[in-house]
Amino acid sequence: MTTETPAPRHETDVTSGPGAVGAAVAAAREAQPWWAGIGFAGRKKALDAWRVLILRRADELVDVIRAETGKTADDARLEVILVADHLRWAAAHAGKVLGRRRVPSGLLMFNQSATVEYRPLGVVGVIGPWNYPAFIPIGPVSAALAAGNTVVLKPSELTPAVGQWLADTLAEAVDGPRVLRVVTGSGETGAALCRAAVDKISFTGSSATGRRVMAACAENLTPVVIEGGGKDAMIVAADADLDAAADAAVWAAMSNAGQTCVGLERVYVVSEVADRFLRLVGDRAAALRTGDRPDADLGPIVLPRQLEIIKAHVRDAVARGARVVLGGTESFTPPYVAPIVLADVPEDSVALTEETFGPVLVVNRVTCVDEAVDQVNASAYGLGASVYTGDRSQGRRIAGRLRAGMVSVNAVIAFAGIPALPFGGVGDSGFGRVHGPDGLREFTRTQAVTSQRFRPLMQPNSFGRAPGTMQTLVRMMRALYGR
Ligand code: NDP
């Protein structure tokens, strides 16, 4: 049943704690050779069966997500849709992306056959956040599993049941040892996983925790993927379809009550259309329903301490002269925050320099698109961005100038719904990629193999080579490539 919006439940049903990490990693390591051994086809069959089971039980997953986060039914359904699509893509493409392929061996080494393939690392640790407790972990989990690794998942302490539900349904769909294990508990459990000598850690969460994760992983030289926070921006050019831009801006800023890493927090709109754009944004945001009601568009702020951060950002902006277009400090009825729209916010206020992670949208006017590009790129973060313009080729050119891992032109967050596209950021937003071919390769070690087809006419790699061999080769290189 998914009609009422349940309040977020913060107590955990299962707490395994840091002490359980060693056993989980050991069990995952034991299962890994079997999982790698069934090959791409065997893993595709298993992951497809898991996806089918997840979709059959979609309502149940929606309920588990809502019980732990309180998010609206539609926000939870979005997660289920994305989980299924990303799982399907990883299972279907792993063989093609990671399997052995021939590469040209070149003139010098013509007698060799050259191949490259991507082998599993072993056991991958995945540390996930609470804001999209199913969709976010499924990116690294699906890629790591499809590549032949086994996984130990540490969900946020706020959402352990979602992680456990995913692991249990996989175990139900697939005969054999568990290839996805869950360890629950607070940050200490995550820290223990970083120190458990797993073969890679995929971390998604705040940039501050990302730094701690990286420091802990450094002790064992464990490689990491860091998917950190963001301060995503939209550029609205003078020729943009303002209705479409305003509609997208409000959805990207307010859905999931603004608790989205690639949620929209800043808009830079060209002056000549700024007033009209602001009116459209204000009207749309004002029509949204917030709270504990079945038809709500915005559910609760999940992390209680986040309420203070959001409030501090709004207060600081207003104290520094920002114009309040909608809402303000009266928008707070904990754990809910109704939409807030601010305009003309000074660029050095925390509402523009730090991640707000709530339903607050800042709209600042700029004289031209070039100024907008400079403002977008001034952030320490560089996760997603969007550009609205009537000229798509100009949109692509602007996208190319943005310091962001992902950009949507005349759309928002479209990249997250395309499983073939790599997802990740630069700067304080982290490094490494999940999703797409890059996301699959992230959880592998590259292996180059050559195999001699016939004895070479000239053998440079031998002390027994004929005199003059190297001089002949230099002459050959000059003739071929020296002009
Ligand atoms: P946190 O950084 O607080 O936590 C993320 C995960 O790390 C949780 O499972 C947490 O456990 C765990 N953790 C905490 N301390 C440690 C530690 N010392 N060592 C290892 N693990 C630890 O982030 P939130 O859960 O609050 O998520 C919100 C943040 O995530 C936002 O900044 C958001 O932008 C970002 N995010 C980024 C995404 C991206 O793809 N770039 C996607 C989604 C969110 P516990 O919760 O139990 O403390």
Side-chain angles (χ1 to χ4, degrees), residues 194-422:
C194 295
R195 294 195 168 88
V198 291
D199 299 292
K200 188 149 189 170
I201 286 282
S202 172
F203 168 81
T204 308
S206 62
S207 307
T209 309
R211 288 185 169 87
R212 286 198 285 278
V213 163
M214 204 170 160
C217 286
E219 291 172 18
N220 290 314
L221 273 188
T222 301
V224 284
V225 182
I226 303 282
E227 298 288 347
K231 192 77 196 172
D232 287 11
M234 173 189 281
I235 293 177
V236 182
D239 62 353
D241 175 342
L242 292 188
D243 273 305
D247 185 61
V250 170
W251 181 79
M254 309 298 171
S255 64
N256 211 34
Q259 302 160 106
T260 303
C261 54
V262 285
L264 183 66
E265 302 209 350
R266 313 178 279 158
V267 177
Y268 294 102
V269 54
V270 170
S271 284
E272 56 198 285
V273 294
D275 289 335
R276 220 183 112 216
F277 178 77
L278 258 173
R279 263 198 309 280
L280 292 169
V281 165
D283 290 350
R284 277 180 168 76
L288 298 177
R289 294 155 300 217
T290 306
D292 184 13
R293 45 191 282 186
D295 62 349
D297 301 298
L298 279 78
I301 299 302
V302 179
L303 204 57
R305 68 171 184 274
Q306 196 68 27
L307 285 161
E308 285 315 309
I309 295 172
I310 300 168
K311 201 179 269 180
H313 286 197
V314 173
R315 277 206 184 114
D316 175 68
V318 173
R320 288 152 145 273
R323 189 156 62 86
V324 178
V325 177
L326 179 71
T329 40
E330 74 275 14
S331 306
F332 291 74
T333 45
Y336 301 99
V337 181
I340 297 171
V341 181
L342 305 172
D344 309 325
V345 177
E347 285 297 327
D348 60 351
S349 43
V350 280
L352 281 173
T353 56
E354 291 175 18
E355 187 181 43
T356 306
F357 224 55
V360 179
L361 183 60
V362 170
V363 180
N364 275 359
R365 60 189 76 219
V366 285
T367 53
C368 59
V369 162
D370 288 345
E371 187 188 341
V373 169
D374 289 345
Q375 295 297 9
V376 172
N377 290 346
S379 174
Y381 294 105
L383 197 53
S386 53
V387 181
Y388 271 78
T389 163
D391 176 351
R392 273 177 63 206
S393 32
Q394 137 132 318
R396 287 199 154 270
R397 282 195 298 276
I398 297 171
R401 294 168 61 196
L402 296 178
R403 183 179 162 275
M406 302 154 291
V407 186
S408 301
V409 177
N410 291 337
V412 277
I413 319 184
F415 41 77
I418 300 175
L421 281 178

Side-chain angles (χ1 to χ4, degrees), residues 6-156:
R9 190 160 49 86
H10 290 150
E11 78 275 13
T12 57
D13 291 322
V14 252
T15 305
S16 43
V21 169
V25 171
R29 203 166 284 293
E30 206 178 311
Q32 197 267 332
W34 166 75
W35 182 242
I38 65 173
F40 291 113
R43 291 194 294 273
K44 179 178 182 313
K45 206 168 144 210
L47 296 175
D48 285 348
W50 186 25
R51 183 196 71 235
V52 169
L53 186 63
I54 288 174
L55 284 174
R56 204 181 305 141
R57 301 236 195 105
D59 286 349
E60 196 181 303
L61 179 55
V62 165
D63 286 347
V64 181
I65 293 171
R66 297 186 73 211
E68 289 193 322
T69 63
K71 66 170 72 181
T72 67
D74 276 352
D75 283 340
R77 285 186 192 109
L78 177 65
E79 284 208 58
V80 176
I81 295 164
L82 292 171
V83 162
D85 207 20
H86 282 269
L87 199 46
R88 178 200 60 78
W89 191 91
H93 291 84
K96 204 158 42 181
V97 174
L98 306 176
R100 184 181 308 154
R101 70 184 154 83
R102 291 270 298 268
V103 297
S105 44
L107 217 57
L108 267 186
M109 305 297 272
F110 185 66
N111 66 316
Q112 302 284 335
S113 143
T115 58
V116 59
E117 62 191 294
Y118 298 87
R119 297 190 172 280
L121 293 167
V123 178
V124 171
V126 174
I127 300 175
W130 47 264
N131 61 337
Y132 287 86
F135 167 54
I136 295 291
I138 213 72
V141 165
S142 62
L145 288 175
N149 305 280
T150 50
V151 175
V152 177
L153 167 66
K154 200 313 253 179
S156 163

